Amino acid sequence: QVQVMESGGGSVQVGGSLRLSCTGTGLTFDDMTMGWFRQAPGKEREGLACITDSGYTYYAESVKGRFTISRDSAKNMLHLQMNSLKPEDTAVYYCAAEILEGCSAAIRYTGDQTVNYWGQGTQVTVSS
């Protein structure tokens, strides 16, 4: 059974850091384009960071320079290091595996792109 699961969310103060992790069973992260998305209350889901099967990374302007996506091939894990967190980063964060349209489309996510596997989401709350 294929499963994608996030961990590492929580509450942090403005300017703090969190590291999200994503694990997968039944699929190999190295073989696919993967990304991190988030959805705040009342807002559409947005793409934040993406990594191709070749290791190229892409970032949305809103997180560029603050967030870093990385993949641990040995452990079949995906990470999102989040620094300099702001209140507007508060959202449910999702790991996505096998983004068929690629990273350029992922960071401009409109809901029309095909993501084959989603995690259940992890809450990140940034307070001032």
Side-chain angles (χ1 to χ4, degrees), residues 42-121:
K43 294 188 176 182
E44 299 295 321
R45 189 168 297 191
E46 61 173 327
L48 302 176
C50 184
I51 185 167
T52 70
D53 56 355
S54 300
Y56 291 101
T57 57
Y58 295 72
Y59 296 94
E61 286 298 322
S62 59
V63 304
K64 194 175 292 184
R66 299 189 299 125
F67 291 11
T68 303
I69 188 171
S70 62
R71 182 164 50 208
D72 185 334
S73 300
K75 296 182 179 179
N76 202 39
M77 294 182 70
L78 185 74
H79 301 289
L80 184 69
Q81 177 67 41
M82 306 187 294
N83 299 328
S84 302
L85 284 162
K86 306 174 182 180
E88 51 265 42
D89 294 319
T90 296
V92 178
Y93 283 68
Y94 297 90
C95 175
E98 200 162 58
I99 305 168
L100 297 188
E101 287 84 356
C103 281
S104 293
I107 62 171
R108 294 190 294 269
Y109 186 72
T110 60
D112 293 329
Q113 293 83 356
T114 303
V115 177
N116 280 345
Y117 306 104
W118 289 102
Q120 82 290 348

Side-chain angles (χ1 to χ4, degrees), residues 25-36:
T25 56
L27 69 171
T28 301
F29 285 2
D30 265 359
D31 294 341
M32 54 189 65
T33 294
M34 301 196 60
W36 288 97

Side-chain angles (χ1 to χ4, degrees), residues 3-16:
Q3 190 173 16
V4 176
M5 183 174 296
E6 306 91 343
S7 62
S11 297
V12 65
Q13 291 191 325
V14 170

